[in-house]
Amino acid sequence: MGTGRSWNGWRSHLTMVVGCLTGLVAVIWWGRAPAPDLVPKHSSPQFDTAISSLEKEPRRAPAPDLVPKHSGPQFDTAISSLEEPRRGASSASSGFLETKEPEEAPPPEAESTTAALGSLQPCKASYRDPSSRPGRPCLPQVSEWPYKSNTASRTQLGERAWMAATGKVAEVECGGWHLFGDMTWCKRALSSTAGSEQKDGAVIGLSYGIEQRDLWSEIVSNDYKVPTRLYDCFQNPKDSPPLGREDLQKASCAGAPGHCYETRYQSHRICLGGAGADIPGQRKYESLRLHLKDRQRLSVHLKIDTEGSEWEELEWLLSSPKDLDKIRTLDMEVHLGWRVESTSESRKRLSNEARIARDIETLERLGQYFRCTGSSMEVLAEEWMGQPNGGRCKPQSCGEPLAHTATGFPVIQFAISWVHPALLASAPMALAPNTKPKPAPKPALSGPPAPAALSGPESPPTWSCKRSFTDASSRPGRPCLPTPAEWPYKTKLKSPAKLGERAVAAAMGEVTEKQCHKWHLFGDMTWCMKAFSHSDPSALIGLSYGIEQRDLWSERVSQLFKIRTRLYDCYQRPEDSTPLGGRAINASGACTEEGPPCYEAPYEPYTICLGPESRLLESRRFESLQLHLRNRKRLSVHLKIDVEGSEWEVLEWLLSSPEIDKIRTLDMEVHLGFLSGSGKDFARSSMKSKDRIAYDIDILERLRQVLTCTGSSLEVLAEGWMNDGEGGKCGGRCQQPEAHAAGGFPMTQFAIRARTPTS
């Protein structure tokens, strides 16, 4: 990274570089061939002491009085891996407590930030129904803190869950509420099939997790005349009439004493889960993708209550906007952090805290697409207040849950309901075919679409704006991109341009030179000098992932700012890389730009790669960013990531973690849609290429919400692309990329830079 390559140097990998201020910096590099015989020779300082505690958690037995009175095969599976009770007691009674107290356990009065937290704000419960309720969960406050500790990070997780479960729909938008059990139903969404694009205009209900009776599917059937399909592979059909009998459908269920359906229903001894989850001879799993395959927009009411197997299916759903758009309503019982027999190995290996954070992020992302109508948090908190191991616990004597609100209410298990916003009365053209409930697309930032044909191949290109910089490097501000005189590709599909323009917007610098005091532009970097200014450079560190033969990023950080650095790469051969082999000049005087690799502040090399989790993979050692940030303080880390596609799961974790607050600057090489060995066990690896690219762009957009972008290499790379016979001068002969700017510039790989807004 930081080599200042021309387009020809990038061409084979379609690399784009974007620089941004502290908190988001991405830089793109060309790929390197891994050395198959390279075995890591040493680990990082943190690895040997931390790896066991990071990946292996103490097992916890739930308090006996918190275990529900009923159980089942699925419950037994979940309890053995996480020691959690099933629904039966209130969600607060999950037993999701740690026997080992956290290292820092300040008393409640030491938590200075809780006064501003949402659940502590005064409110009055608007509903008295013993059910899920609309709007903001109004949680009662304990008079004395019930837990032995009060950990800020656990409160932050709980407050995020509380916010995700806050209803954001008014009753008038729904034409009335239907409240019962765990559901907050928007009547407008259920009382008609309007908007459904299914061929027959019909909708269906898919219910996962049945138990002895499934009131959700019965009411959907009897009140709204929706046919349903029921799925459960744990419940014994002998104990569950809807699973074991086919004679429950009647012309009218009015006055019927038991199970009854007025519309057609189908039951299946199948559970919700991804490929490979089957237990031969015992249980069969099928994916949500399979069950939505033949459905069209706004044609499915969905209920999921699957004791922890929901998360990876929801992650897939979020990666597929077309399938998301098929859902009219989503009712779900939340099991934060749970793992069951169908859980992937990669999720099982996460710590409980990491799983909870990841699950809360999934709820937050669902809330960006759907509108939350309500949750069961409020009524469960009222019950929790009267429990001896809840609100009535002796002051500071109970174990602290891994996630709780500022009021103390545990949020590990609760129910939540969503509705598709196109079905609300306030949605403009809400029920018009193919009108999706997304924000209006931003105008193209890179220029108008290329004309079908102009005067000829020698006609000059048009540029979308005036270029302010001529440096052969990453540049600040808006990328000024060209449109060739003749469209270079064989096809001109719209979707690649839409994806590409989203990437362009994510890579647009939003910081002025005045705010930064000064720019430092070199290679793939757009550095904001203010972000590197610090009274004590020894309090900062630079972490560089992806080294190659030389790492100009870490050299420049060392030489200009006297910041010590750590270099990580498990593919580059140390004998071919001066810094990785420990042969670079190391803290022994002044360096010159023209000289050999040289560091004025100490640097440490490690033959270790960055991955989403710490483990050995094909004889290479991978370590997580979570491990390397473990003992760092706020705004103390300059971060560079150039890891050929293994960045995405790492960034997904970072966005879900308070650890992101430790990043001052982020330089990153973006590899949209790339696959890596370290991410093969994660949901992203099973996506189609186009879906992976969309998923990756979504991560860039979310990074931009937290960090401030300074610039990118897009503009300088586009200048080189314009003169390339396989680029801007291809003349309609080239294959259309899966993501490109409006003018045709490919966006699959580039670099970007960011900083935290406060640095």
Side-chain angles (χ1 to χ4, degrees):
M1 178 171 280
T3 58
R5 290 180 289 280
S6 66
W7 165 253
N8 287 332
W10 292 82
R11 180 175 61 188
S12 64
H13 299 278
L14 300 177
T15 304
M16 172 180 86
V17 181
V18 179
C20 301
L21 290 183
T22 304
L24 169 61
V25 180
V27 182
I28 300 180
W29 290 47
W30 56 75
R32 54 184 179 273
D37 58 344
L38 181 61
V39 178
K41 297 181 175 65
H42 56 284
S43 65
S44 72
Q46 304 99 321
F47 185 83
D48 295 330
T49 57
I51 193 64
S52 60
S53 62
L54 181 67
E55 297 189 338
K56 298 177 181 178
E57 298 190 305
R59 297 181 66 82
R60 301 180 292 281
D65 57 333
L66 294 186
V67 179
K69 296 177 182 178
H70 68 277
S71 68
Q74 192 169 13
F75 169 74
D76 297 334
T77 303
I79 207 75
S80 66
S81 64
L82 193 57
E83 293 74 49
E84 294 183 306
R86 186 181 170 103
R87 60 186 181 278
S90 76
S91 68
S93 305
S94 65
F96 207 127
L97 310 174
E98 288 217 56
T99 56
K100 179 181 178 181
E101 296 301 324
E103 295 178 3
E104 296 182 3
E109 55 268 26
E111 299 288 344
S112 60
T113 61
T114 55
L117 295 173
S119 69
L120 284 178
Q121 299 303 309
C123 59
K124 183 179 180 181
S126 302
Y127 295 83
R128 303 312 305 169
D129 306 69
S131 65
S132 183
R133 299 172 183 173
R136 169 189 171 185
C138 189
L139 307 186
Q141 298 184 26
V142 292
S143 57
E144 295 186 81
W145 190 246
Y147 306 128
K148 299 175 185 177
S149 55
N150 188 10
T151 311
S153 61
R154 299 183 182 188
T155 303
Q156 290 169 356
L157 287 174
E159 288 293 308
R160 286 175 58 194
W162 175 85
M163 181 60 71
T166 294
K168 298 174 176 65
V169 179
E171 187 169 10
V172 67
E173 294 179 281
C174 283
W177 298 121
H178 184 157
L179 310 180
F180 81 98
D182 290 343
M183 317 305 167
T184 307
W185 276 351
C186 181
K187 284 188 175 180
R188 180 180 170 87
L190 284 123
S191 59
S192 81
T193 62
S196 170
E197 295 181 10
Q198 200 69 19
K199 187 175 181 180
D200 56 3
V203 300
I204 63 168
L206 302 181
S207 182
Y208 299 96
I210 305 307
E211 296 192 347
Q212 289 85 0
R213 188 171 188 177
D214 186 44
L215 287 176
W216 182 91
S217 59
E218 285 190 53
I219 297 177
V220 165
S221 170
N222 302 338
D223 286 15
Y224 301 105
K225 306 303 180 279
V226 174
T228 54
R229 298 174 187 171
L230 284 57
Y231 296 87
D232 198 306
C233 66
F234 282 88
Q235 186 63 51
N236 189 332
K238 295 179 180 179
D239 301 326
S240 176
L243 285 176
R245 293 168 52 186
E246 299 179 354
D247 59 349
L248 300 181
Q249 183 178 342
K250 304 182 186 307
S252 173
C253 292
H259 308 265
C260 185
Y261 291 80
E262 292 186 6
T263 57
R264 180 173 52 89
Y265 79 95
Q266 301 171 348
S267 61
H268 304 273
R269 295 281 291 134
I270 295 170
C271 278
L272 181 66
D278 288 4
I279 309 298
Q282 298 183 48
R283 284 182 284 279
K284 179 178 178 60
Y285 287 82
E286 290 182 354
S287 67
L288 187 59
R289 178 189 307 202
L290 176 64
H291 294 174
L292 292 178
K293 188 175 182 180
D294 298 323
R295 304 306 302 173
Q296 301 300 318
R297 182 174 186 259
L298 293 174
S299 67
V300 177
H301 294 289
L302 179 62
K303 185 213 83 177
I304 302 178
D305 179 7
T306 55
E307 317 301 326
S309 67
E310 63 265 25
W311 298 111
E312 286 160 310
E313 291 300 293
L314 290 172
E315 287 177 2
W316 166 79
L317 185 63
L318 283 163
S319 74
S320 179
K322 183 177 180 180
D323 289 287
L324 268 172
D325 214 31
K326 298 175 181 179
I327 309 302
R328 294 178 74 85
T329 63
L330 170 58
D331 296 291
M332 170 183 163
E333 182 166 280
V334 173
H335 308 86
L336 293 179
W338 284 38
R339 55 183 182 179
V340 292
E341 67 178 19
S342 63
T343 300
S344 69
E345 289 302 315
S346 60
R347 177 175 167 85
K348 288 178 181 178
R349 284 193 291 266
L350 294 175
S351 67
N352 282 340
E353 293 90 340
R355 283 198 303 276
I356 290 171
R358 182 167 173 171
D359 297 346
I360 291 172
E361 183 189 4
T362 296
L363 296 180
E364 292 168 335
R365 293 172 62 198
L366 284 168
Q368 292 171 8
Y369 196 90
F370 299 114
R371 294 275 295 278
C372 178
T373 52
S375 77
S376 63
M377 265 197 188
E378 185 173 288
V379 69
L380 292 174
E382 292 170 354
E383 295 174 6
W384 173 79
M385 281 295 292
Q387 294 173 350
N389 43 26
R392 289 178 56 199
C393 180
K394 294 176 61 177
Q396 299 186 39
S397 61
C398 288
E400 184 184 8
L402 291 179
H404 58 78
T405 63
T407 65
F409 173 66
V411 297
I412 300 303
Q413 188 177 349
F414 58 93
I416 188 170
S417 297
W418 286 281
V419 63
H420 194 298
L423 300 174
L424 299 175
S426 59
M429 298 179 64
L431 302 180
N434 299 315
T435 304
K436 298 185 179 183
K438 296 181 180 179
K442 297 179 181 178
L445 298 173
S446 62
L454 290 180
S455 57
E458 298 304 318
S459 299
T462 57
W463 292 80
S464 60
C465 51
K466 184 178 179 180
R467 288 163 284 175
S468 303
F469 294 85
T470 58
D471 307 68
S473 66
S474 183
R475 298 172 183 174
R478 169 186 175 184
C480 189
L481 304 183
T483 295
E486 183 179 1
W487 186 244
Y489 307 124
K490 298 176 183 178
T491 55
K492 197 175 182 183
L493 303 176
K494 293 181 179 179
S495 57
K498 290 180 179 179
L499 283 176
E501 284 298 307
R502 285 177 57 195
V504 171
M508 184 171 69
E510 50 188 332
V511 180
T512 65
E513 187 167 17
K514 182 178 180 181
Q515 290 174 299
C516 283
H517 297 174
K518 186 179 179 182
W519 295 122
H520 182 73
L521 310 180
F522 81 101
D524 297 340
M525 317 302 169
T526 309
W527 277 355
C528 179
M529 295 296 279
K530 182 181 177 182
F532 286 89
S533 175
H534 197 279
S535 58
D536 181 14
S538 66
L540 306 179
I541 195 167
L543 302 180
S544 182
Y545 299 97
I547 305 306
E548 298 189 351
Q549 290 83 2
R550 186 170 187 175
D551 187 43
L552 290 178
W553 182 90
S554 57
E555 286 189 55
R556 196 66 64 96
V557 166
S558 171
Q559 294 167 10
L560 291 181
F561 310 110
K562 309 302 182 284
I563 295 172
R564 58 199 174 93
T565 54
R566 292 177 183 165
L567 283 59
Y568 297 87
D569 199 307
C570 68
Y571 285 93
Q572 182 63 53
R573 290 164 54 89
E575 51 266 41
D576 297 332
S577 172
T578 301
L580 199 60
R583 301 185 300 277
I585 299 170
N586 195 352
S588 57
C591 302
T592 62
E593 289 188 17
E594 298 77 18
C598 181
Y599 293 78
E600 294 188 12
Y603 87 94
E604 304 168 27
Y606 301 97
T607 50
I608 295 169
C609 279
L610 180 67
E613 53 194 5
S614 299
R615 61 169 174 166
L616 283 175
L617 182 65
E618 297 177 353
S619 300
R620 293 186 177 87
R621 185 180 296 283
F622 286 78
E623 290 182 1
S624 66
L625 187 60
Q626 180 178 6
L627 176 64
H628 293 175
L629 293 179
R630 198 169 195 187
N631 297 315
R632 303 305 309 171
K633 294 184 178 180
R634 181 175 181 270
L635 293 177
S636 67
V637 177
H638 294 286
L639 180 62
K640 185 211 85 176
I641 302 178
D642 176 14
V643 290
E644 314 304 324
S646 61
E647 64 264 25
W648 300 112
E649 287 83 9
V650 174
L651 293 171
E652 184 75 70
W653 166 81
L654 186 63
L655 280 164
S656 71
S657 170
E659 301 289 275
I660 198 169
D661 206 32
K662 298 178 179 180
I663 309 300
R664 286 182 79 84
T665 64
L666 168 60
D667 291 289
M668 170 182 156
E669 181 175 67
V670 174
H671 307 84
L672 294 179
F674 279 38
L675 286 172
S676 68
S678 65
K680 66 182 181 180
D681 294 331
F682 288 76
R684 179 180 175 273
S685 66
S686 63
M687 298 177 190
K688 294 180 180 179
S689 177
K690 182 180 177 181
D691 293 336
R692 283 199 307 274
I693 291 173
Y695 176 89
D696 299 345
I697 292 173
D698 177 71
I699 288 178
L700 294 182
E701 292 168 336
R702 287 157 57 207
L703 280 169
R704 190 178 176 89
Q705 294 172 10
V706 182
L707 310 173
T708 308
C709 183
T710 56
S712 78
S713 62
L714 280 178
E715 189 174 291
V716 69
L717 293 173
E719 291 172 351
W721 174 80
M722 275 302 302
N723 296 314
D724 193 325
E726 297 180 10
K729 290 189 174 182
C730 197
R733 295 176 291 103
C734 291
Q735 214 51 41
Q736 186 177 12
E738 290 188 295
H740 60 74
F745 176 70
M747 301 290 293
T748 308
Q749 189 176 349
F750 59 92
I752 188 169
R753 173 173 176 76
R755 71 171 179 104
T756 55
T758 56
S759 63

